[in-house]
């Protein structure tokens, strides 16, 4: 048995928590107030971004702020990048807006979210009044999912690939098995551009009914503050989502950034960064393997690693004292307070972190 289904019950009063999990907790909370001087391993945005050339493109767009945003060029650039017609592309104010649109604009009766994964999709569905079913993946199975575990009645299935926080990259052919008429198959590929070759991506597929792929420019290009992402889906789906958007939902600077990041030079730069991340991740995993007290998800393919360590909350606090912010794992359904998520950084930073981890474990008494 690869996974188990969980039905959390009807929506509770509006709010971020469900089943003891704070679905609205994100890694940026670890590095906000009082976090000056901390080395950030809690947020999965690539360090040293945006690059200078992208900053310059964004800065140059400020001269046109008097005009209303025109998304046609950016939409066309995204379409060309994925080999799709423009009507299959919808630009959004980050992937988070897309989750809200999906929850509120489309007729969904029985949504299912594959966990542990990014919690915003379930939070958006619950806030829209939906009862959300969960499919909880297990460490014993490497946090991989079995398509047969998804109930036939689910008319929306949400899965991340590679999944945040497990960093597991699911096989595209397994995810594709979930597609069927009458079902929305929502694949969050926010971290796919951190995977060399973007293998297992479904972004360019037009043959799967109900497929909705979400992409973000936040992670690779360091644009969390700009809010830009996009949806790839059937034309009738993008049209329905667009009708639910306010006018001009994506700003001119964000549109300029989106168009710039779709060009050949930018794609080559992203691929080179993905290869560096893979090498740096291998270095981090090798270092973590030296600790008997730490158990990492070895199948990691993203720009972050999930680790299990006893008394993780205390270890996290000791790491803060030693200058490192890491992401707590207990806010993800399917995980408890013995999990931490670590962003992949360069080898020098990783070596410093491993030394701090050694000290933190000793301080906690492992």
């Amino acid at each position: 048995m690869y996974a188990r289904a969980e039905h959390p019950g009807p929506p509770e009063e509006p709010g971020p928590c469900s089943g003891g999990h704070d679905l609205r907790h994100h890694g940026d909370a670890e590095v906000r107030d009082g976090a000056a001087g901390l080395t950030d391993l809690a947020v999965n945005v690539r360090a040293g971004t945006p690059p200078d050339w992208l900053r310059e493109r964004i800065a140059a767009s400020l001269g046109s702020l008097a005009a209303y945003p025109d998304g046609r060029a950016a939409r066309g650039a995204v379409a060309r990048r994925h080999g799709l017609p423009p009507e299959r592309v919808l630009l959004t104010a980050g992937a988070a807006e897309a989750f809200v649109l999906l929850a509120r604009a489309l007729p969904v009766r029985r949504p299912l979210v594959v966990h542990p994964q990014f919690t915003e999709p379930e939070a958006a569905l619950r806030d829209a009044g939906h009862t959300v079913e969960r499919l909880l993946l297990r460490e014993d199975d490497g946090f991989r999912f079995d398509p047969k575990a998804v109930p036939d009645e689910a008319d929306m299935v949400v899965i991340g690939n590679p999944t945040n926080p497990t960093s597991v990259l699911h096989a595209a052919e397994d995810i594709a098995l979930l597609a069927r008429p009458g079902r929305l198959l929502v694949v969050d590929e926010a971290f796919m551009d951190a995977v060399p070759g973007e293998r297992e991506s479904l972004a360019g597929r037009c043959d799967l009914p109900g497929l909705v792929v979400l992409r973000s420019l936040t992670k690779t290009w360091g644009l969390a503050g700009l809010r830009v992402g996009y949806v790839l889906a059937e034309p009738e789906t993008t049209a329905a989502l667009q009708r639910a958007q306010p006018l001009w939902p994506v700003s001119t600077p964000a549109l300029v950034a989106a168009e710039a990041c779709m060009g050949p030079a930018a794609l080559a730069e992203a691929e080179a960064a993905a290869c560096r991340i893979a090498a740096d991740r291998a270095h981090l995993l090798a270092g973590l393997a030296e600790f008997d007290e730490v158990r990492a998800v070895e199948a990691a393919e993203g720009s972050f690693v999930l680790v299990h360590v006893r008394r993780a909350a205390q270890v996290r606090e000791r790491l803060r004292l030693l200058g490192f912010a890491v992401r707590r794992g207990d806010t993800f359904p399917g995980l408890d307070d013995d999990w931490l998520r670590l962003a992949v950084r360069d080898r020098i930073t990783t070596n410093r972190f491993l030394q701090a981890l050694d000290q933190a474990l000793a301080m906690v008494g492992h």
Side-chain angles (χ1 to χ4, degrees):
M1 186 69 179
Y2 286 90
R4 66 182 186 277
E6 178 183 271
H7 201 288
E12 302 163 359
E13 67 281 357
C17 297
S18 173
H21 298 280
D22 183 355
L23 301 180
R24 285 281 160 74
H25 180 89
H26 300 301
D28 62 317
E30 311 282 356
V31 291
R32 284 202 298 256
D33 300 335
L38 288 178
T39 298
D40 179 11
L41 273 66
V43 177
N44 294 326
V45 174
R46 184 164 64 100
T49 53
D52 289 341
W53 65 265
L54 184 53
R55 293 175 190 268
E56 292 168 2
R57 290 284 295 273
I58 294 170
S61 74
L62 300 181
S64 58
L65 290 186
Y68 285 97
D70 182 348
R72 289 176 295 178
R75 187 183 190 188
V78 171
R80 289 190 297 275
R81 182 254 197 272
H82 293 288
L84 297 172
E87 57 267 25
R88 295 185 71 99
V89 176
L90 179 70
L91 298 167
T92 61
E97 187 206 5
F99 290 126
V100 172
L101 294 173
L102 287 165
R104 299 187 179 186
L106 302 178
V108 177
R109 297 179 307 278
R110 189 174 174 183
L112 178 141
V113 179
V114 180
H115 282 292
Q117 78 148 345
F118 184 51
T119 53
E120 202 61 36
E122 178 170 329
L125 285 163
R126 291 174 60 82
D127 286 349
H130 295 285
T131 298
V132 181
E133 189 168 358
R134 294 173 178 168
L135 186 64
L136 301 181
L137 308 187
R138 304 185 303 180
E139 183 190 9
D140 291 347
D141 301 316
F143 292 110
R144 298 190 179 280
F145 88 106
D146 180 357
K148 296 188 294 294
V150 175
D152 290 339
E153 298 80 10
D155 62 352
M156 173 188 278
V157 180
V158 184
I159 186 169
N161 202 35
T163 302
N164 172 19
T166 65
S167 205
V168 170
L169 183 67
H170 304 289
E173 60 185 19
D174 287 342
I175 297 178
L177 290 174
L178 299 176
R180 63 186 59 183
R183 169 186 285 172
L184 289 168
L185 173 56
V186 181
V187 186
D188 178 7
E189 292 191 359
F191 293 97
M192 186 61 77
D193 58 358
V195 177
E198 296 194 359
R199 66 187 193 281
E200 313 305 342
S201 173
L202 293 173
R205 296 283 292 270
C206 294
D207 59 318
L208 299 176
L211 176 65
V212 179
V213 174
L214 276 58
R215 285 292 189 106
S216 170
L217 301 182
T218 296
K219 322 305 184 204
T220 288
W221 298 111
L223 298 176
L226 200 58
R227 310 309 308 140
V228 58
Y230 54 91
V231 176
L232 307 174
E234 294 167 332
E236 55 269 29
T237 299
T238 59
L241 298 177
Q242 186 174 26
R243 286 193 295 270
Q245 283 183 309
L247 290 174
W248 311 291
V250 183
S251 70
T252 294
L255 292 171
V256 167
E259 183 179 1
C261 292
M262 297 299 116
L267 295 178
E269 182 175 329
E271 177 68 11
C275 292
R276 287 194 301 273
I277 288 169
D280 290 338
R281 185 183 60 244
H283 181 70
L284 173 60
L285 287 170
L288 293 170
E290 297 296 318
F291 295 94
D292 293 336
E293 308 93 336
V294 177
R295 186 171 69 247
V297 178
E298 294 289 338
E301 295 275 4
S303 55
F304 47 92
V305 171
L306 183 66
V307 299
H308 181 279
V309 56
R310 187 168 55 88
R311 290 189 282 180
Q314 296 179 48
V315 172
R316 181 168 61 93
E317 288 305 315
R318 298 307 186 277
L319 285 169
R320 288 183 72 85
L321 295 175
L322 295 167
F324 289 88
V326 299
R327 171 65 156 90
R328 58 189 284 199
D330 61 306
T331 63
F332 294 100
L335 302 181
D336 58 27
D337 56 7
D338 282 338
W339 291 93
L340 299 172
R341 192 192 69 195
L342 314 173
V344 173
R345 299 292 186 239
D346 62 89
R347 293 190 176 210
I348 293 175
T349 302
T350 293
N351 290 342
R352 289 176 43 238
F353 167 73
L354 293 171
Q355 292 175 350
L357 178 61
D358 190 27
Q359 295 178 56
L361 292 171
M363 294 165 69
V364 171
H366 278 268

